Amino acid sequence: METNPIPVVTVQTTPFDDQRPGTNGLRKKTTVFESKKNYLQNYIQSVLSSIDLRDRQGCTMVVGSDGRYFSRTATEVIVQMAAANGIGRLVIGHNGILSTPAVSCIIRKIKAIGGIVLTASRNPGGPAGDFGIKFNVANGGPAPDTVIDKIHQVSRTLEEYAICPDLHIDLSRLGRQDFDLENKFKPFRVEIVDSVEVYLNLLRGIFDFGAIKGLLTGPDQLKIKVDAMNGVMGPYVRRILCDELGAPANSAVNCVPLEDFGGQYPDPNLTYATGLADAMKGGEFGFGAAFDADGDRCMILGQNGFFVNPSDSLAVVAANLSCIPYFRQSGVRGFARSMPTSTAIDRVAKAMKVALYETPAGWRFFGNLMDSGRCSFCGEESFGMGSDHIREKDGLWTVLVWLSIMAARKQGVEEIVRDHWAKMGRNYFCRFDYEAIDPRAAFYLMKDLEAVITDKAFCSQKFAVGSNVYSVEKADNFEYIDPVDGTLARNQGIRIVFSDSSRIIFRLSGTGVGVGATIRIYAESFERDPERHSREPQVVLGPLIAIALKISDIHERTGRRGPTVIT
């Protein structure tokens, strides 16, 4: 306990006009947070002030980071400001490290009022990289639009913030640290907790760890390769997959969290996780996975580098949830996917006779569905899936689901996926990302595109590409009415649906860092014939991509020759 009470200081400031959080919090170049006076403090005050004063006094919050550069500095500022703003207790991961799924897990476990995650997800780290601050609410999930609006509203009129600049904590020391503050009746408490333990205990209650351990250590041992990409997941992979489940230590690579992620993009796809992809192509390993920086996304690969498209992964897992003890006990109440995600899971939902909800992109839209008991399992095409065990997508949970399915079915990844296609048909799917586009050009491109597709004549249009003819059946700018509280989300992506159920979708991404805009183009085509399930997605979807490029004029209007990333 500190001998003298620590003073609470009020600092005058001026508001910023660019602090509206995006889909996954406020993301900017690290230099913005680091060098703009009071930029970090203003936003933290806006987050804290968005919590009703009566709820804030004496409450508990969780704080974690993916370990990227500037996280330690930001964590100390959060601690100092939380104390000054009446928060009673902060629970922080050891050395400031907590995966996004672990933050959600701990919020729910200890009934915290919310949590702050310092992450820019799969964006690069380091002094020249990106930084982000994400606020999760009491259900453990990302802040809904009402809270995002409130944070933004506060940030635009903020004139002062409260801070305890003399309060310093030791993130490396596990246990409680109490501080007396001026004019506060109760001490302010910080608890530094093991980053993995609470989350590991949750997973133990969901999966049959014995079955997974048997798969990884038995006579027919499955050799796996897991790449933590020098993000937050290193300690989790080592502790859970290696120590707890018996995978050899050399199964896991890049497990030391680094401030710059080793100079690489911590983005689990074939463009950036090339080390894993190359290792899997040799055939030595039967299962491979790579995680993003904060651990909520992962890429799944099978033997010989067989790539599991995230939309396929979602559908395959949905069809095999009975392999997981958690779902055998609780049942399956419904599925949900983001609108751009392929409709493969829709076919599973229909076969299983469970409800399917189509939401805008952004995990926050799944929260109400799960809280109300409508949805047990959900996911997005951007390498994220999860269930109602927490309110975030969960990369390691996804890996354990896949290993559970492999143990139960005694099949490899590719065999499981191909069996699924044979039974349900294959939804060919791809995504083109055009990153760092001039925001003004991106805005008008989307605006003009909406004018094209909402013209009455467009819905009777036919597009001929080679021997393929596509007839437009429906075209709109996607809107979503939340079935729980009736809130309406507009302008969630332009979609064109053809008579053969093929789709083209255009979406302006909400996860940028202010350096240009990102336009994503999605193409999907369904194939029932098993004889045609081994074709290259780019070949199958080529005609649809050609249509998308033609009606959007994206190359002409942006000066690009092609996408930045293809998934």
Side-chain angles (χ1 to χ4, degrees):
M1 185 78 70
E2 296 286 336
T3 311
N4 298 315
I6 297 171
V8 177
V9 179
T10 300
V11 180
Q12 300 304 305
T13 189
T14 53
F16 295 92
D17 62 4
D18 63 344
Q19 291 195 332
R20 178 177 175 80
T23 305
N24 288 302
L26 182 70
R27 291 185 189 171
K28 301 287 179 184
K29 300 304 291 183
T30 307
T31 51
V32 173
F33 286 100
E34 195 171 24
S35 61
K36 271 194 179 182
K37 185 181 179 183
N38 293 339
Y39 195 87
L40 170 67
Q41 290 84 347
N42 274 31
Y43 189 69
I44 297 303
Q45 186 63 60
S46 300
V47 169
L48 295 173
S49 295
S50 74
I51 306 169
D52 188 273
L53 186 60
R54 289 166 299 181
D55 296 331
R56 200 193 316 158
Q57 296 302 314
C59 76
T60 297
M61 289 185 70
V62 180
V63 179
S65 82
D66 62 13
R68 70 180 56 231
Y69 176 79
F70 195 61
S71 291
R72 282 182 173 268
T73 300
T75 299
E76 181 158 80
V77 170
I78 290 167
V79 172
Q80 293 170 344
M81 293 186 66
N85 279 273
I87 305 296
R89 177 174 67 140
L90 286 185
V91 176
I92 306 176
H94 191 214
N95 294 315
I97 294 286
L98 276 178
S99 72
T100 292
V103 169
S104 182
C105 168
I106 295 172
I107 290 172
R108 295 172 64 80
K109 175 73 174 177
I110 67 175
K111 295 181 169 54
I113 200 165
I116 294 174
V117 193
L118 302 175
T119 180
S121 187
R122 49 202 168 159
N123 292 15
D130 301 333
F131 192 76
I133 304 172
K134 179 179 170 187
F135 180 53
N136 281 27
V137 292
N139 74 347
D145 284 345
T146 50
V147 176
I148 287 173
D149 290 341
K150 194 169 182 182
I151 293 170
H152 184 222
Q153 194 175 359
V154 173
S155 76
R156 293 173 65 189
T157 57
L158 194 71
E159 295 181 346
E160 62 184 31
Y161 63 85
I163 191 167
C164 296
D166 297 335
L167 195 162
H168 302 288
I169 59 164
D170 182 356
L171 290 173
S172 67
R173 180 161 63 89
L174 290 168
R176 297 174 178 176
Q177 301 170 44
D178 287 348
F179 304 88
D180 270 335
L181 309 181
E182 277 185 356
N183 303 319
K184 303 287 183 184
F185 294 111
K186 289 185 177 179
F188 171 68
R189 172 169 289 174
V190 174
E191 291 183 26
I192 309 298
V193 299
D194 184 288
S195 302
V196 182
E197 190 62 36
V198 176
Y199 174 71
L200 169 56
N201 284 333
L202 177 68
L203 296 181
R204 284 192 184 110
I206 294 172
F207 297 100
D208 182 346
F209 270 28
I212 299 174
K213 189 169 186 175
L215 179 73
L216 299 179
T217 63
D220 300 318
Q221 175 191 11
L222 174 72
K223 294 188 71 175
I224 68 173
K225 191 63 130 183
V226 178
D227 189 347
M229 300 191 82
N230 294 121
V232 77
M233 288 308 292
Y236 295 85
V237 169
R238 288 256 187 248
R239 179 94 162 268
I240 298 172
L241 283 175
C242 298
D243 297 349
E244 187 84 10
L245 295 172
N250 62 5
S251 302
V253 297
N254 299 319
C255 284
V256 178
L258 299 175
E259 289 192 336
D260 66 349
F261 311 115
Q264 305 299 313
Y265 273 65
D267 194 352
N269 59 39
L270 293 174
T271 301
Y272 296 117
T274 52
L276 175 71
D278 290 343
M280 293 301 297
K281 286 174 184 172
E284 179 185 354
F285 303 101
F287 177 88
F291 298 100
D292 69 344
D294 64 321
D296 59 357
R297 290 180 170 91
C298 81
M299 174 177 70
I300 302 295
L301 298 177
Q303 194 164 22
N304 302 314
F306 180 82
F307 172 68
V308 183
N309 186 286
S311 291
D312 280 333
S313 184
L314 190 67
V316 169
V317 169
N320 288 278
L321 287 177
S322 61
C323 297
I324 317 300
Y326 176 84
F327 292 103
R328 289 201 297 270
Q329 292 160 12
S330 65
V332 177
R333 290 180 293 280
F335 299 143
R337 64 164 174 83
S338 63
M339 183 273 287
T341 302
S342 97
T343 56
I345 191 174
D346 302 36
R347 300 176 192 281
V348 178
K350 186 176 180 181
M352 292 175 63
K353 297 187 169 79
V354 300
L356 185 285
Y357 299 90
E358 183 180 38
T359 73
W363 206 261
R364 65 190 187 278
F365 292 102
F366 296 136
N368 268 1
L369 297 174
M370 291 188 281
D371 287 347
S372 65
R374 286 171 166 82
C375 173
S376 302
F377 173 68
C378 49
E380 300 186 301
E381 48 69 40
S382 52
F383 294 91
M385 72 168 74
S387 83
D388 56 1
H389 67 294
I390 56 173
R391 294 296 181 269
E392 282 282 6
K393 46 191 175 281
D394 192 342
L396 189 52
W397 178 92
T398 301
V399 166
L400 296 184
V401 166
W402 266 97
L403 293 175
S404 298
I405 294 169
M406 294 172 75
R409 294 186 50 157
K410 296 180 171 51
Q411 290 177 302
V413 172
E414 182 172 358
E415 192 178 358
I416 290 168
V417 173
R418 291 194 179 279
D419 276 2
H420 181 86
W421 291 341
K423 183 179 179 182
M424 306 297 298
R426 179 176 182 182
N427 288 71
Y428 283 96
F429 181 88
C430 76
R431 182 179 100 184
F432 281 24
D433 290 0
Y434 291 85
E435 298 175 352
I437 294 173
D438 175 69
R440 185 178 172 86
F443 172 80
Y444 282 107
L445 187 152
M446 294 296 289
K447 186 179 179 182
D448 292 347
L449 192 54
E450 182 173 13
V452 168
I453 66 110
T454 51
D455 187 290
K456 286 183 181 178
F458 187 79
C459 272
S460 59
Q461 202 160 332
K462 288 182 170 60
F463 293 91
V465 183
S467 60
N468 300 280
V469 178
Y470 297 90
S471 302
V472 177
E473 187 172 274
K474 177 183 179 181
D476 63 6
N477 193 334
F478 181 61
E479 294 185 350
Y480 175 69
I481 300 175
D482 190 304
V484 180
D485 60 20
T487 53
L488 173 64
R490 288 193 168 98
N491 302 315
Q492 295 299 314
I494 290 169
R495 59 179 178 175
I496 304 166
V497 183
F498 298 97
S499 57
D500 66 349
S501 76
S502 295
R503 298 191 307 161
I504 297 172
I505 291 155
F506 300 85
R507 193 173 73 83
L508 196 58
S509 174
T511 57
V513 292
V515 185
T518 296
I519 290 179
R520 306 196 199 280
I521 300 177
Y522 311 79
E524 176 185 10
S525 181
F526 177 69
E527 180 57 69
R528 168 63 71 186
D529 184 1
E531 296 296 318
R532 298 170 65 84
H533 285 171
S534 296
R535 301 173 69 202
E536 272 296 318
Q538 296 299 313
V539 173
V540 175
L541 298 168
L544 288 170
I545 293 295
I547 295 168
L549 298 180
K550 180 181 178 182
I551 63 175
S552 67
D553 279 333
I554 191 167
H555 290 169
E556 291 77 3
R557 296 182 64 153
T558 64
R560 299 296 177 87
R561 293 182 177 180
T564 315
V565 177
I566 298 175
T567 304

